Amino acid sequence: MINVIGLGLSKGDLTLSGVEAVKRAKYAVFKTDRTETYAAKEYVTGESETLDSYYETSDDFDEMNDRIVDRLVYLHEKYKDIAYLVGGSGFDDRTVLLLKERGEDISITAGVSQERLVLSPDTSMTVMSAYDIVNADFVMPESSIPLVVKEIDNVYVAAELKLLLGSLYGDETKITVVSGGEKKTIPLYELDSLRSYDHKTMLEIRPVGITEKERFTFGDIVRILKRLRDKEKGCEWDKAQTHESIRSNLIEESYELLEAIDNKDIENMIEECGDVLLQSLFHAEIANEKGEFCVSDALSYLGKKLVTRHTHIFGDVIANNAKEALDAWENAKAKEKSQESLAEKVDGIANSLPIVMRAEKTQKKAAKYGFDFSDINDAVKKIYEETEEFLSASDEEKETEGGDLLFAAINVLRMRGVDGELALKKSLDKFVRRIKYAEKRAAETGKDIKMLTEEELDGLWEECKANEDR
């Protein structure tokens, strides 16, 4: 057994349980003898050693921690029962976490936590290691709860941490830092400007009210929505909304995001991504109030879907390119929804999709069951065929034949890998741009565009084309 004993923060912090654990140990290992907590040495009855040499001979803290753990494992195998004495609570040391990860047989006799250097004992908090933040795929903690970050043991970690936390809290946010035995308040952007760093260096960020925030988290937005929908104190407009009343908002916001993407307008994309997210959360909050579902249900469904449909990532399916990855997704989706027949898969396409997109998706699914031209030239011939039928159609037939013509054109675009919805949008944008140009040029010559001849309009059209090609 490796009995980890938390020595606390000062000489008098060792608990009675800790004293008894030290006395019982066949071998005692002190992580360091350079703090006043080393006074616990007086209770050692067997052999002992300190590990300060690892600090001096390791290239970085990762190497040091690995070497310390290797040493502890060796001593454990040799003596069977050792005490490992560390500062703080015993739970908050990086080497203890590594011992757990390696599956070592450990117990912890807790001491006073290092976090209490920055927080009062009655304050709840989120505690994280700086290494867990900067070395991992990291989702920021909930900013409505005090955050303590420990083990900021070098300037490089501090610099990385400053950037990550700055994106959540803002660079100017005041933080409390404990470093070199001193406690002080500084702006977050100064975190990598301290005089020294060691394994005891830590910071605390306290939350601020909603109206004082510059940066917001997912949880903040959920809380704001709940406040806006509050029956007694909420916003009258927000309280009055239903799934049906805000249905069109999602369509509008989605198209505004698409426009920002098309315009490569990053600032507007930031805003519109938020607006699309708001619509999803708004529906989740309305549903939560009605007992239908909550935002956690939606997130859980999304997480499960991302895992179960990426069978080539989280399963044993192999996908060597984007097409094979998409096929794997579609196969997993069909299995999940029990869609075995073509009819079931076609019925699964949303009727509310823009019609060009819906037609393209239907064609793609049908093509996998053999409903497709073997050659794109045959598909092009179909356009000519449908054109003739449209031109010769009666008034009663022209709508049907017109739809067939459009469907045939979408099919050719699909076979060439062209997004019909996007292609049509670009053509429409181009058409609008050119008629605006023609009208403006006509006005510059004192003419009304409606009075121009066909030849004059063609000339302005070609002039606009020539300018675009430059």
Side-chain angles (χ1 to χ4, degrees), residues 424-440:
L424 184 57
K425 179 187 181 304
K426 288 184 175 180
S427 291
L428 176 59
D429 290 344
K430 179 172 61 178
F431 179 77
V432 170
R433 185 170 62 248
R434 290 179 181 177
I435 62 174
K436 286 181 178 179
Y437 178 89
E439 185 175 46
K440 180 181 177 183

Side-chain angles (χ1 to χ4, degrees), residues 382-435:
K382 187 65 174 176
I383 293 179
Y384 287 109
E385 177 186 323
E386 297 295 350
T387 301
E388 291 178 2
E389 291 181 5
F390 172 70
L391 293 175
S392 61
S394 64
D395 286 346
E396 291 77 16
E397 298 172 329
K398 64 183 180 182
E399 185 177 87
T400 298
E401 297 301 338
D404 290 345
L405 175 58
L406 286 173
F407 193 78
I410 293 169
N411 206 27
V412 171
L413 294 178
R414 176 189 62 81
M415 295 183 74
R416 282 294 306 274
V418 174
D419 183 323
E421 194 82 25
L422 183 58
L424 184 57
K425 179 187 181 304
K426 288 184 175 180
S427 291
L428 176 59
D429 290 344
K430 179 172 61 178
F431 179 77
V432 170
R433 185 170 62 248
R434 290 179 181 177
I435 62 174

Side-chain angles (χ1 to χ4, degrees), residues 283-302:
H283 283 288
E285 179 55 29
I286 292 172
N288 183 51
E289 294 166 3
K290 297 168 69 175
E292 297 168 336
F293 66 88
C294 65
V295 67
S296 181
D297 294 325
L299 290 174
S300 296
Y301 194 95
L302 173 60

